[in-house]
Protein backbone atom coordinates (compact mmCIF):
# COMPACT_ATOMS: atom_id res chain seq x y z
CA UNK A 1 0.00 0.00 0.00
CA UNK A 2 1.12 3.64 -0.38
CA UNK A 3 3.69 5.13 1.90
CA UNK A 4 1.86 6.81 4.77
CA UNK A 5 2.11 10.58 4.71
CA UNK A 6 1.64 13.06 7.53
CA UNK A 7 0.58 15.77 5.06
CA UNK A 8 -2.80 14.46 3.94
CA UNK A 9 -5.11 11.49 4.41
CA UNK A 10 -6.26 9.06 1.75
CA UNK A 11 -9.77 10.53 1.81
CA UNK A 12 -8.37 13.99 1.19
CA UNK A 13 -6.25 12.70 -1.69
CA UNK A 14 -9.19 10.98 -3.39
CA UNK A 15 -11.41 14.07 -2.99
CA UNK A 16 -8.75 16.29 -4.57
CA UNK A 17 -8.21 13.91 -7.49
CA UNK A 18 -11.92 13.82 -8.27
CA UNK A 19 -12.35 17.58 -7.88
CA UNK A 20 -9.61 18.33 -10.40
CA UNK A 21 -11.59 16.73 -13.22
CA UNK A 22 -14.81 18.71 -12.69
CA UNK A 23 -15.75 21.69 -14.84
CA UNK A 24 -17.72 24.87 -14.22
CA UNK A 25 -21.44 24.65 -14.92
CA UNK A 26 -21.66 20.86 -14.73
CA UNK A 27 -24.48 18.99 -12.99
CA UNK A 28 -23.64 16.08 -10.70
CA UNK A 29 -25.32 13.58 -8.40
CA UNK A 30 -23.96 11.75 -5.35
CA UNK A 31 -25.36 8.91 -3.31
CA UNK A 32 -25.92 8.20 0.36
CA UNK A 33 -22.51 7.06 1.61
CA UNK A 34 -20.59 9.83 -0.07
CA UNK A 35 -18.29 11.85 2.20
CA UNK A 36 -15.44 11.88 -0.33
CA UNK A 37 -17.77 12.61 -3.24
CA UNK A 38 -19.40 15.54 -1.43
CA UNK A 39 -15.99 16.94 -0.52
CA UNK A 40 -14.83 16.65 -4.14
CA UNK A 41 -17.82 18.55 -5.50
CA UNK A 42 -17.59 21.31 -2.92
CA UNK A 43 -13.83 21.65 -3.40
CA UNK A 44 -14.33 22.04 -7.16
CA UNK A 45 -16.93 24.74 -6.46
CA UNK A 46 -14.39 26.57 -4.30
CA UNK A 47 -11.72 26.44 -7.00
CA UNK A 48 -12.31 26.10 -10.73
CA UNK A 49 -16.05 25.37 -10.92
CA UNK A 50 -18.11 27.90 -8.93
CA UNK A 51 -21.24 27.19 -10.99
CA UNK A 52 -21.07 23.41 -10.74
CA UNK A 53 -24.06 22.09 -8.87
CA UNK A 54 -24.61 18.73 -7.27
CA UNK A 55 -27.64 17.09 -5.77
CA UNK A 56 -28.05 14.43 -3.12
CA UNK A 57 -29.69 11.47 -4.83
CA UNK A 58 -31.42 10.19 -1.67
CA UNK A 59 -32.29 13.59 -0.23
CA UNK A 60 -32.82 16.03 -3.08
CA UNK A 61 -30.67 18.72 -1.44
CA UNK A 62 -28.77 20.87 -3.95
CA UNK A 63 -25.35 22.31 -3.05
CA UNK A 64 -25.52 21.99 0.74
CA UNK A 65 -22.40 23.97 1.65
CA UNK A 66 -21.55 24.68 5.26
CA UNK A 67 -17.93 23.62 5.60
CA UNK A 68 -19.04 20.43 7.37
CA UNK A 69 -19.33 17.06 5.64
CA UNK A 70 -22.42 15.05 6.52
CA UNK A 71 -24.01 12.01 4.89
CA UNK A 72 -25.74 13.21 1.73
CA UNK A 73 -29.15 12.07 3.01
CA UNK A 74 -28.81 13.82 6.39
CA UNK A 75 -31.77 16.15 6.99
CA UNK A 76 -29.39 18.73 8.50
CA UNK A 77 -28.21 19.43 4.95
CA UNK A 78 -31.57 21.01 4.14
CA UNK A 79 -30.79 24.22 6.04
CA UNK A 80 -27.48 24.62 4.19
CA UNK A 81 -28.84 23.75 0.73
CA UNK A 82 -29.61 26.17 -2.08
CA UNK A 83 -32.72 24.17 -3.01
CA UNK A 84 -34.49 20.91 -2.22
CA UNK A 85 -36.15 18.73 -4.86
CA UNK A 86 -38.84 16.21 -4.03
CA UNK A 87 -38.79 12.53 -5.03
CA UNK A 88 -40.87 12.78 -8.24
CA UNK A 89 -38.44 15.39 -9.60
CA UNK A 90 -35.47 13.23 -8.70
CA UNK A 91 -36.99 10.20 -10.42
CA UNK A 92 -37.58 12.25 -13.57
CA UNK A 93 -33.94 13.34 -13.63
CA UNK A 94 -32.36 10.03 -12.68
CA UNK A 95 -34.49 7.52 -14.57
CA UNK A 96 -35.61 9.23 -17.74
CA UNK A 97 -33.44 12.12 -18.94
CA UNK A 98 -30.45 11.03 -21.00
CA UNK A 99 -27.35 13.11 -20.15
CA UNK A 100 -29.22 15.40 -17.74
CA UNK A 101 -26.42 14.73 -15.28
CA UNK A 102 -22.92 15.38 -16.52
CA UNK A 103 -21.52 12.92 -14.01
CA UNK A 104 -22.10 10.70 -11.02
CA UNK A 105 -19.48 9.53 -8.52
CA UNK A 106 -19.96 5.94 -7.41
CA UNK A 107 -18.36 3.49 -5.04
CA UNK A 108 -18.64 -0.29 -5.41
CA UNK A 109 -18.04 -3.70 -3.86
CA UNK A 110 -16.38 -4.75 -7.13
CA UNK A 111 -15.33 -3.24 -10.43
CA UNK A 112 -13.89 -5.02 -13.44
CA UNK A 113 -11.53 -4.33 -16.34
CA UNK A 114 -14.26 -2.63 -18.38
CA UNK A 115 -15.54 -0.44 -15.54
CA UNK A 116 -18.72 -2.35 -14.74
CA UNK A 117 -19.60 -1.98 -11.06
CA UNK A 118 -21.32 -4.17 -8.50
CA UNK A 119 -23.00 -2.96 -5.32
CA UNK A 120 -25.39 -5.90 -4.95
CA UNK A 121 -23.53 -8.99 -3.78
CA UNK A 122 -20.27 -10.93 -3.87
CA UNK A 123 -20.68 -14.54 -4.88
CA UNK A 124 -23.81 -16.30 -6.07
CA UNK A 125 -26.87 -14.04 -5.90
CA UNK A 126 -28.95 -16.74 -4.19
CA UNK A 127 -26.31 -17.39 -1.50
CA UNK A 128 -23.92 -14.43 -1.49
CA UNK A 129 -20.74 -14.29 0.57
CA UNK A 130 -21.37 -10.57 1.03
CA UNK A 131 -24.49 -8.54 0.38
CA UNK A 132 -24.23 -4.85 -0.53
CA UNK A 133 -26.73 -1.99 -0.43
CA UNK A 134 -28.30 -2.95 -3.76
CA UNK A 135 -28.68 -1.25 -7.10
CA UNK A 136 -30.82 1.73 -6.00
CA UNK A 137 -30.43 4.27 -8.87
CA UNK A 138 -26.98 3.15 -9.98
CA UNK A 139 -28.14 1.37 -13.14
CA UNK A 140 -29.83 4.51 -14.41
CA UNK A 141 -26.96 6.80 -13.49
CA UNK A 142 -24.37 4.60 -15.22
CA UNK A 143 -26.60 4.30 -18.25
CA UNK A 144 -27.77 7.89 -18.61
CA UNK A 145 -25.08 10.22 -17.21
CA UNK A 146 -22.54 11.67 -19.62
CA UNK A 147 -19.83 9.98 -17.57
CA UNK A 148 -19.23 8.55 -14.14
CA UNK A 149 -16.32 8.20 -11.76
CA UNK A 150 -15.51 5.07 -9.75
CA UNK A 151 -14.13 5.82 -6.30
CA UNK A 152 -12.68 2.85 -4.42
CA UNK A 153 -11.28 3.13 -0.88
CA UNK A 154 -9.46 -0.18 -1.24
CA UNK A 155 -7.48 -1.71 -4.07
CA UNK A 156 -7.13 -5.49 -3.93
CA UNK A 157 -8.07 -8.57 -5.93
CA UNK A 158 -11.43 -8.91 -4.22
CA UNK A 159 -12.42 -5.40 -5.34
CA UNK A 160 -10.79 -5.41 -8.80
CA UNK A 161 -12.02 -8.58 -10.48
CA UNK A 162 -11.99 -9.88 -14.09
CA UNK A 163 -15.81 -9.78 -14.19
CA UNK A 164 -18.12 -8.45 -11.50
CA UNK A 165 -20.43 -11.00 -9.88
CA UNK A 166 -23.46 -8.80 -10.57
CA UNK A 167 -23.60 -5.96 -13.10
CA UNK A 168 -25.70 -3.27 -11.48
CA UNK A 169 -23.89 -0.35 -13.14
CA UNK A 170 -22.90 -0.75 -16.76
CA UNK A 171 -19.45 0.50 -17.68
CA UNK A 172 -18.19 -0.58 -21.08
CA UNK A 173 -19.78 -4.03 -20.62
CA UNK A 174 -17.56 -6.41 -22.63
CA UNK A 175 -15.34 -3.66 -23.99
CA UNK A 176 -15.03 -2.13 -27.43
CA UNK A 177 -18.37 -0.94 -28.80
CA UNK A 178 -20.48 -3.31 -26.68
CA UNK A 179 -21.92 -0.50 -24.55
CA UNK A 180 -23.56 1.33 -27.46
CA UNK A 181 -24.35 -1.94 -29.24
CA UNK A 182 -26.42 -2.87 -26.19
CA UNK A 183 -28.42 0.33 -26.67
CA UNK A 184 -26.91 2.45 -23.91
CA UNK A 185 -26.07 6.10 -24.45
CA UNK A 186 -22.54 7.35 -25.00
CA UNK A 187 -20.76 7.70 -21.69
CA UNK A 188 -19.35 5.21 -19.23
CA UNK A 189 -16.61 5.44 -16.62
CA UNK A 190 -14.00 8.17 -17.04
CA UNK A 191 -11.64 7.65 -14.12
CA UNK A 192 -11.13 5.16 -11.32
CA UNK A 193 -9.42 6.58 -8.22
CA UNK A 194 -8.02 4.27 -5.55
CA UNK A 195 -5.43 4.26 -2.73
CA UNK A 196 -2.85 3.09 -5.29
CA UNK A 197 -3.43 5.29 -8.31
CA UNK A 198 -5.64 6.80 -10.97
CA UNK A 199 -6.88 4.71 -13.89
CA UNK A 200 -8.68 5.48 -17.12
CA UNK A 201 -9.85 3.41 -20.09
CA UNK A 202 -8.06 2.79 -23.38
CA UNK A 203 -10.16 4.46 -26.10
CA UNK A 204 -10.54 1.47 -28.46
CA UNK A 205 -10.64 -1.62 -26.24
CA UNK A 206 -12.22 0.28 -23.31
CA UNK A 207 -10.05 -1.76 -20.93
CA UNK A 208 -8.77 -0.19 -17.72
CA UNK A 209 -5.40 1.52 -18.07
CA UNK A 210 -2.91 2.96 -15.61
CA UNK A 211 -3.02 6.76 -15.75
CA UNK A 212 -0.79 7.50 -12.76
CA UNK A 213 0.47 5.83 -9.59
CA UNK A 214 0.68 7.57 -6.23
CA UNK A 215 3.99 8.29 -4.50
CA UNK A 216 5.50 5.16 -3.01
CA UNK A 217 3.42 2.79 -5.16
CA UNK A 218 5.19 0.41 -7.55
CA UNK A 219 3.87 -1.21 -10.69
CA UNK A 220 4.37 -4.66 -9.12
CA UNK A 221 2.18 -3.61 -6.20
CA UNK A 222 -0.65 -2.54 -8.48
CA UNK A 223 -0.31 -5.65 -10.65
CA UNK A 224 -0.38 -7.96 -7.61
CA UNK A 225 -3.46 -6.25 -6.17
CA UNK A 226 -5.51 -6.24 -9.39
CA UNK A 227 -7.39 -9.33 -10.54
CA UNK A 228 -6.91 -8.65 -14.26
CA UNK A 229 -4.24 -7.32 -16.58
CA UNK A 230 -4.19 -3.55 -16.73
CA UNK A 231 -3.11 -1.73 -19.86
CA UNK A 232 0.28 -0.21 -19.12
CA UNK A 233 1.38 2.99 -20.93
CA UNK A 234 4.90 3.39 -22.26
CA UNK A 235 5.62 5.74 -19.36
CA UNK A 236 3.81 5.51 -16.03
CA UNK A 237 3.21 8.96 -14.55
CA UNK A 238 3.22 9.88 -10.88
CA UNK A 239 0.03 11.31 -9.40
CA UNK A 240 0.40 14.96 -8.44
CA UNK A 241 -0.13 15.21 -4.69
CA UNK A 242 -2.63 17.73 -3.28
CA UNK A 243 -0.99 21.16 -3.24
CA UNK A 244 -1.11 23.72 -0.43
CA UNK A 245 -4.03 25.63 -1.94
CA UNK A 246 -6.14 22.51 -2.42
CA UNK A 247 -5.52 21.35 1.14
CA UNK A 248 -6.16 24.82 2.57
CA UNK A 249 -9.52 25.13 0.81
CA UNK A 250 -10.47 21.55 1.59
CA UNK A 251 -9.79 21.89 5.30
CA UNK A 252 -11.00 25.45 5.84
CA UNK A 253 -14.09 25.68 3.63
CA UNK A 254 -15.18 22.11 2.83
CA UNK A 255 -14.19 19.73 5.63
CA UNK A 256 -13.52 21.98 8.61
CA UNK A 257 -14.12 19.19 11.14
CA UNK A 258 -11.69 16.72 9.52
CA UNK A 259 -14.16 13.99 8.57
CA UNK A 260 -12.05 12.76 5.65
CA UNK A 261 -8.88 12.40 7.70
CA UNK A 262 -10.68 10.53 10.50
CA UNK A 263 -12.73 8.17 8.34
CA UNK A 264 -10.32 7.53 5.48
CA UNK A 265 -6.67 7.29 6.60
CA UNK A 266 -4.09 5.62 4.42
CA UNK A 267 -4.18 1.81 4.62
CA UNK A 268 -1.34 0.40 6.67
CA UNK A 269 1.54 -1.08 4.73
CA UNK A 270 1.70 -4.88 4.62
Amino acid sequence: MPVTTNNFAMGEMLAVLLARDMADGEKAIVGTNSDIQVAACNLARQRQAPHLWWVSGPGGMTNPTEGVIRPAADAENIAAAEAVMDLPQMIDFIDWQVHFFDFAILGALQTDRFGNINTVCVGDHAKPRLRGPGTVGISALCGLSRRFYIMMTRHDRSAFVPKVDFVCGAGFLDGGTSRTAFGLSEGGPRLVVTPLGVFDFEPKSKAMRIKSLHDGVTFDEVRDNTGFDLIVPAKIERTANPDDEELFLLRRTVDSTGVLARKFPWPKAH
Side-chain angles (χ1 to χ4, degrees), residues 61-239:
M61 288 79 81
T62 303
N63 292 338
T65 305
E66 196 180 16
V68 177
I69 294 177
R70 302 187 183 92
D74 195 320
E76 289 187 49
N77 287 322
I78 294 174
E82 294 178 356
V84 180
M85 290 184 280
D86 60 21
L87 184 59
Q89 288 177 305
M90 293 300 298
I91 291 174
D92 283 344
F93 293 148
I94 295 170
D95 291 342
W96 304 112
Q97 296 193 35
V98 177
H99 289 177
F100 175 84
F101 287 109
D102 292 290
F103 65 87
I105 312 173
L106 305 167
L109 297 174
Q110 297 175 322
T111 187
D112 63 31
R113 67 190 300 257
F114 296 119
N116 303 299
I117 64 175
N118 170 24
T119 60
V120 172
C121 64
V122 174
D124 183 78
H125 186 265
K127 293 183 178 180
R129 299 193 304 275
L130 176 66
R131 188 174 296 280
T135 298
V136 198
I138 289 174
S139 296
L141 293 176
C142 290
L144 301 179
S145 296
R146 293 183 188 274
R147 68 182 188 275
F148 63 90
Y149 299 96
I150 302 172
M151 191 279 300
M152 304 288 279
T153 55
R154 71 184 219 275
H155 191 138
D156 54 46
R157 285 177 173 261
S158 64
F160 285 80
V161 296
K163 187 69 176 178
V164 294
D165 292 337
F166 191 100
V167 179
C168 67
F172 295 114
L173 294 177
D174 296 316
T177 61
S178 60
R179 178 182 169 91
T180 52
F182 192 73
L184 294 174
S185 63
E186 292 284 348
R190 179 172 173 125
L191 295 176
V192 183
V193 297
T194 86
L196 298 184
V198 181
F199 307 84
D200 61 9
F201 295 85
E202 195 276 324
K204 186 174 182 179
S205 69
K206 304 298 187 183
M208 196 179 298
R209 175 176 65 180
I210 296 174
K211 182 176 175 64
S212 68
L213 298 183
H214 304 334
D215 282 347
V217 176
T218 66
F219 168 73
D220 289 349
E221 190 174 7
V222 172
R223 179 198 60 204
D224 293 346
N225 282 282
T226 305
F228 51 86
D229 291 335
L230 292 157
I231 293 180
V232 183
K235 180 182 179 182
I236 298 178
E237 301 291 338
R238 282 290 165 190
T239 308

